[in-house]
Amino acid sequence: MKIPAPRGPLSTTLFDLLSAAEPPAAAALSELTTAARDAASATEDILRDEDIQLTLFCLYELHYSGLDGVSDDLEWNPGLVGLRLELEASFEAALRRTVPVPELPGSGSEAVAEELFRMAADDDGPSISRFVASKATADQLKEFLILRSVYQLKEADPHSWAIPRLPVGRAKAALIEIQADEYGGGRPERMHSHLFAVTMRGLELETEYGWYLDFVPALTLASSNAMSLFGLNRRLRGAIAGHLAAFEMTSSIPNSFYARGFRRLGFGEDVTYYFDEHVEADAVHEQIAARDLAGGLAESDPALLADVMFGAATVLTLDALMGQDQLQAWQEGRSALRAVDSDSSGAAAADALAGAAMAAGVTP
């Protein structure tokens, strides 16, 4: 992924250090870590802080496919890891303050599954899927895909960190069964990340991972960062299991609405196949994820129950916050993409979309 444009002093300094010819000096990274601690203490809302979320997102990317021009040797650089841990601590604390977790059920797998299904059924967050199905314009569909591309173009990777962190048994087997489907059962053309790229290509959007990162707001980055936080930390293995369970349980029906919205505007099966595939796949996955993954993990290790429910509630909370912002923008006739110049009229965001479209060879 290309290093994006910085969004403040933290990301500016980080990108300068990562782009330098020499490895970053320990003293410079120590100063940046102190600045990160101060920034996290001073911010009004870390979930919407553009500078902090972008900095954390790019630190996580060092553990995925990396950043262009940045040495692989820096993945485990002690100073960079320390910087990530500093931001992670503040980010996790904010999530635990913000995310409402219901009263814990029993730790038996059926009790856990029953509570997860109740949480998913009671979710009354803003319905992006229904708006897409009935009202979204072609430009709004492009924005919808751009926003989702942050996760969908690397779909399944954050949750796969949990595989070696779970003990051999029911939960691990369930996770591998789900992930095998996400990765196409060994067929690259069936990988869900590839299918999403096909959908983007059908709307003449660029499919390179991270291409549109500059136009994605902090809250969307925070959603991705929460997955990486849970997946990369073994102590949060319960949270990543609960996250995947809720993720799958709130996917099947919305994807049917997404497919309907794209068909409404005349797009064919090549574009809708990604959503159609998830309607069927996630209807199966939700049962496995709720009963065998999340429920099986809590049953085998009741100490993880609270984090299982926290991970699930995090999905619902962040989806609701993102949906509220996205719908409000569209209903007010604004772009839901990040207004790069902080133009309250939304003109900068519209210009950003136009520029992205032109770069991808699309007529805005």
Side-chain angles (χ1 to χ4, degrees):
M1 186 185 80
K2 296 177 182 177
I3 294 179
R7 302 187 187 181
L10 295 182
S11 51
T12 296
T13 303
L14 175 64
F15 298 164
D16 286 345
L17 291 173
L18 292 178
S19 302
E22 299 295 327
L29 287 173
S30 178
E31 291 179 4
L32 181 56
T33 301
T34 299
R37 183 183 306 121
D38 293 342
S41 298
T43 186
E44 294 182 0
D45 184 356
I46 197 171
L47 301 183
R48 299 179 189 274
D49 190 300
E50 299 287 350
D51 194 26
I52 290 176
Q53 291 300 332
L54 180 64
T55 300
L56 185 55
F57 182 87
C58 289
L59 288 169
Y60 281 137
E61 282 305 307
L62 298 178
H63 299 288
Y64 289 99
S65 57
L67 298 170
D68 292 353
V70 177
S71 172
D72 290 344
D73 293 339
L74 293 182
E75 178 183 1
W76 295 109
N77 177 282
L80 290 172
V81 171
L83 172 61
R84 173 169 65 80
L85 292 175
E86 185 66 49
L87 291 175
E88 274 188 342
S90 298
F91 180 45
E92 182 182 349
L95 287 174
R96 291 191 181 275
R97 289 193 304 269
T98 303
V99 173
V101 179
E103 183 176 346
L104 298 182
S107 59
S109 62
E110 285 303 314
V112 171
E114 181 179 343
E115 177 61 17
L116 289 173
F117 279 112
R118 184 201 64 75
M119 290 169 62
D122 288 352
D123 179 29
D124 58 356
S127 181
I128 292 294
S129 62
R130 293 183 183 275
F131 186 94
V132 167
S134 60
K135 297 180 180 179
T137 65
D139 280 345
Q140 287 168 342
L141 292 185
K142 289 180 180 180
E143 291 189 9
F144 167 76
L145 294 178
I146 287 170
L147 292 168
R148 289 174 67 97
S149 69
V150 171
Y151 168 71
Q152 250 71 46
L153 288 178
K154 66 175 180 183
E155 185 168 357
D157 287 354
H159 298 107
S160 290
W161 291 114
I163 294 174
R165 290 168 166 78
L166 300 186
V168 174
R170 181 181 177 188
K172 189 180 193 113
L175 176 58
I176 292 173
E177 181 177 358
I178 294 169
Q179 297 303 84
D181 283 348
E182 301 289 346
Y183 291 121
R187 297 169 58 188
E189 74 277 7
R190 298 278 297 172
M191 292 177 65
H192 288 182
S193 57
H194 171 76
L195 296 179
F196 190 80
V198 171
T199 295
M200 292 186 72
R201 200 171 297 124
L203 273 74
E204 299 183 283
L205 292 171
E206 174 60 50
T207 60
E208 178 184 338
Y209 176 68
W211 182 273
Y212 297 106
L213 189 59
D214 289 335
F215 313 134
V216 174
L219 197 54
T220 302
L221 298 181
S223 178
S224 176
N225 287 341
M227 299 184 212
S228 297
L229 167 68
F230 296 160
L232 278 168
N233 288 278
R234 184 179 179 277
R235 66 182 177 82
L236 294 173
R237 60 195 181 279
I240 195 63
H243 188 286
L244 180 56
F247 198 85
E248 298 292 336
M249 294 166 69
T250 54
S251 175
S252 182
I253 294 176
N255 274 296
S256 69
F257 285 114
Y258 297 143
R260 185 184 306 175
F262 281 82
R263 289 193 180 96
R264 175 177 56 83
L265 292 184
F267 294 102
E269 186 176 340
D270 59 325
V271 169
T272 64
Y273 186 77
Y274 171 85
F275 305 110
D276 294 333
E277 168 70 11
H278 278 70
V279 172
E280 181 177 347
D282 291 347
V284 176
H285 289 173
E286 68 178 20
Q287 299 293 332
I288 300 171
R291 291 186 162 80
D292 298 318
L293 173 56
L297 183 62
E299 187 169 88
S300 67
D301 190 349
L304 299 178
L305 174 61
D307 271 351
V308 167
M309 306 313 294
F310 168 60
T314 297
V315 175
L316 302 178
T317 300
L318 292 181
D319 280 358
L321 291 174
M322 290 188 296
Q324 180 179 352
D325 285 2
Q326 194 172 340
L327 271 182
Q328 182 175 351
W330 286 350
Q331 290 168 347
E332 293 176 357
R334 297 184 288 110
S335 170
L337 300 183
R338 175 173 170 260
V340 177
D341 295 326
S342 301
D343 183 343
S344 60
S345 70
D351 289 345
L353 177 58
M358 291 176 66
V362 182
T363 300

